[in-house]
Amino acid sequence: EAGVVQSPRYKIIEKKQPVAFWCNPISGHNTLYWYRQNLGQGPELLIRYENEEAVDDSQLPKDRFSAERLKGVDSTLKIQPAELGDSAVYLCASSPTKGLANNEQFFGPGTRLTVL
Amino acid sequence: QKEVEQDPGPLSVPEGAIVSLNCTYSNSAFQYFMWYRQYSRKGPELLMYTYSSGNKEDGRFTAQVDKSSKYISLFIRDSQPSDSATYLCATSNSGYALNFGKGTSLLVTP
């Protein structure tokens, strides 16, 4: 079974430029998460989708970040404009059910963003 | 104050040693406790999952949760060089949003 796919794996941009990250979750997984992991820190949730609906975006900096999950499968996370402090690894995760008992989140390899 | 505190290490042990990794948390509503392992340049992968208090064992790994003291532990027996990674504890009250610790960097030397 293929895991969570993310692209690109690495991205270097100058500040004030836009950037987008793409995620393809595990087939059949209804729940999709975007996390940000700063260097030396644990991942922090940015947004959670149930199918195509964003059900928790309370931690998403909405002035510059946006996300979409059209058709409830692939998802894109965008930053516009990027700031130096956005340098981090952006992780996508998916889980097979919204039930509580078996909500293992499977993570992709992440996109490492460097803003110069 | 973060909801989950974890000593970042690094922790270096010889091969075969018993490793003890720990976290504390502040929110008594947390019911789900997890340990993730993250290799360099990879995403986290789930190692152990515990609901409420108690112990759980899986091969060389044992997870313990003490809700009275808000303390969670992961023990690794007979540690191997392949166990060298960052270990992240995570908690949740809903099973959805995970609250991660900073992660502890572990190095097992041959």
Side-chain angles (χ1 to χ4, degrees):
Chain A
E1 178 182 89
V4 176
V5 179
Q6 290 188 248
S7 69
R9 291 294 315 276
Y10 304 92
K11 189 74 176 179
I12 301 174
I13 61 172
E14 294 189 346
K15 64 181 180 181
K16 300 185 181 179
Q17 294 301 305
V19 65
F21 315 123
W22 176 80
C23 173
N24 180 241
I26 293 173
S27 178
H29 283 195
N30 298 322
T31 308
L32 184 146
Y33 310 77
W34 282 103
Y35 287 86
R36 176 169 58 189
Q37 186 173 24
N38 292 311
L39 187 64
Q41 304 292 319
E44 295 180 328
L45 181 69
L46 291 173
I47 189 168
R48 172 170 66 95
Y49 281 93
E50 292 292 345
N51 298 304
E52 64 275 10
E53 182 183 359
V55 295
D56 183 359
D57 63 356
S58 57
Q59 301 304 311
L60 189 71
K62 298 181 184 63
D63 56 337
R64 297 183 300 107
F65 285 66
S66 64
E68 61 182 10
R69 192 184 183 196
L70 300 177
K71 301 181 181 178
V73 181
D74 295 0
S75 178
T76 302
L77 178 69
K78 297 178 181 177
I79 308 175
Q80 183 172 10
E83 297 179 352
L84 295 176
D86 296 331
S87 295
V89 176
Y90 290 83
L91 293 162
C92 179
S94 68
S95 61
T97 176
K98 60 180 180 180
L100 299 181
N102 185 27
N103 195 37
E104 178 178 355
Q105 296 182 27
F106 295 82
F107 284 82
T111 296
R112 183 175 298 271
L113 173 68
T114 301
V115 182
L116 302 177
Chain B
Q1 182 187 9
K2 285 184 65 92
E3 291 195 285
V4 181
E5 297 286 349
Q6 184 176 9
D7 186 337
L11 180 63
S12 182
V13 301
E15 182 177 355
I18 296 174
V19 177
S20 173
L21 304 169
N22 309 293
C23 291
T24 60
Y25 64 93
S26 57
N27 189 339
S28 58
F30 291 147
Q31 296 283 348
Y32 302 88
F33 305 93
M34 288 140 281
W35 284 95
Y36 280 81
R37 178 174 62 195
Q38 186 172 26
Y39 292 111
S40 180
R41 309 281 177 170
K42 303 286 188 183
E45 58 176 334
L46 184 66
L47 265 182
M48 302 287 286
Y49 173 95
T50 307
Y51 175 73
S52 194
S53 284
N55 295 355
K56 189 171 185 178
E57 188 173 322
D58 184 2
R60 297 184 295 111
F61 299 89
T62 299
Q64 289 185 350
V65 177
D66 182 347
K67 293 189 72 179
S68 63
S69 59
K70 299 189 182 69
Y71 198 82
I72 56 179
S73 302
L74 178 71
F75 299 95
I76 307 174
R77 292 182 298 279
D78 188 24
S79 56
Q80 302 295 309
S82 59
D83 295 328
S84 298
T86 295
Y87 290 80
L88 297 151
C89 62
T91 63
S92 175
N93 59 353
S94 66
Y96 299 125
L98 300 181
N99 303 281
F100 282 92
K102 286 184 175 182
T104 299
S105 177
L106 172 67
L107 177 65
V108 181
T109 56

